[in-house]
Amino acid sequence: MTIKIYYMIPMHNAEDTIVEALKSIRFDAGYDVTAVVVDDGSTDQSSEKVQSLITSEWPLKIRLIKQRQMGVCEARNTALAEIPADVWVFLLDADDADFPDRQAVMIDYIQENQLHVAGSGVSLFGDETGRWSYPAHDDAIKLAINLGVAPFAH
């Protein structure tokens, strides 16, 4: 059975990073992967960069949605409204790079532990280095939310 994965990618003025972010997404055998990119009112060439990947031979399925600038939360909500209910949803920002094995690791972890949601850490690159850690399972995520602490990187 093919596993369907959708990436929610909010984007605002990310012409320097969006192509690298999209190219970091793996689409191994057994996975049907789609990226939903929401251009949140960019004034640079971000949408054109995404459109060039869509029309190229790049094998990742990409849906580009343009909206007036409403902020990253509304851009994620716009993406989520376009994603079917029976798929895996991954978050990725336009200036992020996906870990090569993140899909398999997170899906296996969620299935093995019978979870509904899971988080992961973040490794910084470029001018910033280091690692941020976040709760990785249901109970810890729920506790963080109840304490008013952000349980996810984004």
Side-chain angles (χ1 to χ4, degrees):
M1 180 177 169
T2 301
I3 295 174
K4 293 182 180 182
I5 298 172
Y6 277 70
Y7 279 79
M8 295 189 331
I9 306 175
M11 173 180 74
H12 179 75
N13 290 342
E15 67 182 5
D16 294 333
T17 58
I18 186 59
V19 171
E20 183 179 347
L22 288 167
K23 286 188 172 184
S24 75
I25 297 173
R26 298 285 302 258
F27 35 92
D28 294 332
Y31 292 161
D32 179 8
V33 182
T34 302
V36 179
V37 180
V38 177
D39 185 345
D40 189 45
S42 293
T43 57
D44 65 0
Q45 298 295 306
S46 297
S47 282
E48 289 78 5
K49 299 267 181 147
V50 174
Q51 190 62 45
S52 71
L53 278 180
I54 292 170
T55 57
S56 74
E57 297 296 317
W58 189 250
L60 177 66
K61 290 183 279 187
I62 303 170
R63 294 188 58 204
L64 175 62
I65 301 167
K66 296 180 183 181
Q67 66 181 30
R68 65 180 173 81
Q69 187 176 2
M70 296 189 292
V72 67
C73 292
E74 285 300 321
R76 282 197 185 99
N77 286 338
T78 298
L80 192 57
E82 296 294 319
I83 295 174
D86 60 343
V87 301
W88 293 90
V89 178
F90 284 76
L91 304 179
L92 188 71
D93 280 351
D95 62 350
D96 291 346
D98 205 24
F99 287 109
D101 61 347
R102 181 169 81 134
Q103 297 165 354
V105 168
M106 290 193 74
I107 290 171
D108 288 347
Y109 183 82
I110 290 169
Q111 289 176 330
E112 288 171 13
N113 293 283
Q114 299 179 345
L115 303 175
H116 299 286
V117 67
S120 63
V122 174
S123 292
L124 305 176
F125 62 94
D127 293 337
E128 298 182 56
T129 59
R131 182 160 174 80
W132 297 341
S133 296
Y134 293 88
H137 58 82
D138 267 357
D139 292 336
I141 291 168
K142 290 174 185 173
L143 177 61
I145 291 170
N146 288 334
L147 293 174
V149 177
F152 299 107
H154 305 301

